Amino acid sequence: MKNWTRSTWLAGALALGPVFASAQEANPIDWRSVPEMDNQITMKIGHSVNMEWSSHTATLKRFAELVAIYSNNEIRPEIFPGAQLGGEREMMQQARQGALQVTFPATNNAAALAPSLNVFILPYLATSTQQVNYLQDELTEFLNPRVIEEAGVRIVGWENAGWRAFFYKSDKPIEKPSDLADLKMRVPPNPIMIATYEAWGGNPTPIAWAELYGALQQGVVEGGDNPVTDVIGMKFNEVINRMTTFHYTILTHPIIVSERWFQGLSEEHQAVILRAGSEATDYIRWWQPMDEQRWWQQARDAGVEITAIEDETEWVEKARAIWPDYYEAIGPDGDVVVAKVMELLEAYPGDK
């Protein structure tokens, strides 16, 4: 074995310098830049987020990459972020029509066209990330025929962006439901989410996501709830000073594929889409929790005061009390869907 001295190592490193440098450069050929081929199938992916590295974009990049690899570049993905193709509901409509092949809406927005998905919006449906993952895995096969009939799309995968937390501007923290009485809080335009705030005694104000920063800045609302990634990624920390963590719902995004387009694919290409969706789901479940810690540290570094609700009993009781009033929002047999969820939860093997 050669006896390497420090000077010998340095000389070798200097000699290999250009090799080391080139190894750090981006691969010039990847799924976004491979040559176009004859009869190549274009797969347009539209979504509303413009943050380059959120769990949202990480999921779609992984999905696109896997589709290109497993189809041997016979399917060419093109990602259109930042609502370039319209709002989330508009892109759902495009997918129904087959004009857009893949989209990635928040579940609460997808439910406007596919009401069955409202079952995931019931507050405190699950109480841990593992339970949410379990329900997605076990319930999607049951829900997909309904979603296809309702909206002309199918779910091929999921992304969980993290538990929604209160973010707000106030002199005191939110710790109990009555603390919401003096705050105007933004909610998505979803009837179950609005009713949840009302059950807590809050003042929910539906505002579009794209308008929220300005609404916070102008005092139209004092806060809302979203995962920390969205709060800090959208720089809401510039117009709020507090966050409160609790576990009433996780922000989820299904990978939505146009059923009209899917049925026009060969069986081999359909298998590619399903495999890529499943593996992208597994990937983001590994990636997102690690990434989320980075965002919480950024929140602390930005001076955001963070409060954790230790006992959520009152929040749970008030929120779950609205469930029977909103079974119809899930469908004419919404009680059957909820019963299926409860059956699955009873069989849940436990957090691991």
Side-chain angles (χ1 to χ4, degrees):
M1 181 179 291
K2 186 177 291 185
N3 183 20
W4 286 92
T5 64
R6 182 175 183 275
S7 59
T8 305
W9 184 90
L10 285 173
L14 289 172
L16 292 174
V19 176
F20 288 155
S22 63
Q24 295 177 9
E25 294 174 1
N27 187 343
I29 302 296
D30 66 11
W31 61 273
R32 289 163 293 188
S33 63
V34 290
E36 295 188 23
M37 298 172 13
D38 291 339
N39 301 317
Q40 195 174 44
I41 299 169
T42 297
M43 184 180 75
K44 291 190 295 183
I45 304 173
H47 68 102
S48 62
V49 173
N50 56 13
M51 290 185 291
E52 178 62 19
W53 280 110
S54 65
S55 59
H56 199 97
T57 54
T59 305
L60 291 181
K61 287 181 178 183
R62 187 71 165 190
F63 175 71
E65 180 179 47
L66 293 174
V67 168
I69 291 171
Y70 294 149
S71 72
N72 194 28
N73 196 38
E74 292 173 358
I75 301 176
R76 184 185 182 87
E78 297 179 2
I79 298 179
F80 297 85
Q84 293 179 45
L85 303 182
E88 291 190 345
R89 296 188 184 189
E90 185 178 354
M91 286 187 281
M92 279 280 289
Q93 288 282 14
Q94 294 172 28
R96 180 206 292 266
Q97 298 159 3
L100 179 62
Q101 288 76 53
V102 181
T103 189
F104 202 48
T107 304
N108 50 275
N109 288 329
L113 275 74
S116 294
L117 294 179
N118 267 321
V119 70
F120 285 108
I121 310 303
L122 292 175
Y124 286 105
L125 182 71
T127 55
S128 71
T129 301
Q130 291 76 16
Q131 279 188 341
V132 174
N133 293 343
Y134 171 77
L135 284 178
Q136 289 172 344
D137 291 343
E138 298 297 324
L139 197 60
T140 299
E141 184 177 355
F142 169 80
L143 288 178
N144 250 338
R146 303 170 62 99
V147 172
I148 291 168
E149 182 177 356
E150 292 167 345
V153 299
R154 72 167 55 222
I155 300 167
V156 301
W158 290 91
E159 174 259 0
N160 296 338
W163 290 93
R164 300 183 80 111
F166 289 130
F167 60 90
Y168 51 102
K169 185 175 183 178
S170 176
D171 294 332
K172 60 180 183 179
I174 296 173
E175 296 178 306
K176 53 188 183 299
S178 59
D179 292 333
L180 290 174
D182 297 328
L183 295 170
K184 292 174 292 183
M185 301 289 278
R186 176 265 178 181
V187 294
N190 177 280
I192 296 176
M193 299 179 84
I194 292 170
T196 300
Y197 268 82
E198 291 174 342
W200 289 328
N203 301 298
T205 303
I207 293 177
W209 177 251
E211 301 170 7
L212 182 51
Y213 185 96
L216 290 165
Q217 192 175 41
Q218 297 164 20
V220 176
V221 290
E222 280 97 28
D225 67 76
N226 271 88
V228 65
T229 308
D230 292 341
V231 176
I232 304 304
M234 296 300 289
K235 300 187 184 301
F236 292 164
N237 55 285
E238 296 175 348
V239 286
I240 60 98
N241 65 329
R242 293 182 182 274
M243 294 186 68
T244 293
T245 62
F246 65 147
H247 303 87
Y248 94 101
T249 191
I250 283 182
L251 175 58
T252 61
H253 298 85
I255 303 175
I256 295 291
V257 172
S258 166
E259 183 66 6
R260 181 178 296 184
W261 178 74
F262 184 81
Q263 292 302 330
L265 297 174
S266 66
E267 289 186 4
E268 292 78 10
H269 285 161
Q270 287 181 353
V272 164
I273 299 299
L274 296 176
R275 179 182 178 184
S278 176
E279 292 185 12
T281 300
D282 290 340
Y283 168 76
I284 206 62
R285 287 177 181 174
W286 164 79
W287 187 91
Q288 186 275 335
M290 295 185 294
D291 181 65
E292 186 176 10
Q293 296 307 309
R294 177 173 65 90
W295 290 100
W296 279 115
Q297 187 58 52
Q298 287 189 40
R300 288 187 284 269
D301 292 344
V304 177
E305 296 187 46
I306 301 169
T307 300
I309 298 176
E310 301 296 341
D311 183 358
E312 299 184 42
T313 303
E314 186 179 3
W315 296 90
V316 173
E317 290 175 350
K318 289 179 180 293
R320 285 185 173 172
I322 73 166
W323 281 21
D325 296 335
Y326 286 89
Y327 290 163
E328 288 187 0
I330 300 168
D333 60 346
D335 57 332
V336 174
V337 179
V338 175
K340 177 67 174 179
V341 171
M342 302 314 293
E343 175 188 327
L344 288 171
L345 286 174
E346 287 179 6
Y348 174 61
D351 294 349
K352 297 180 180 178

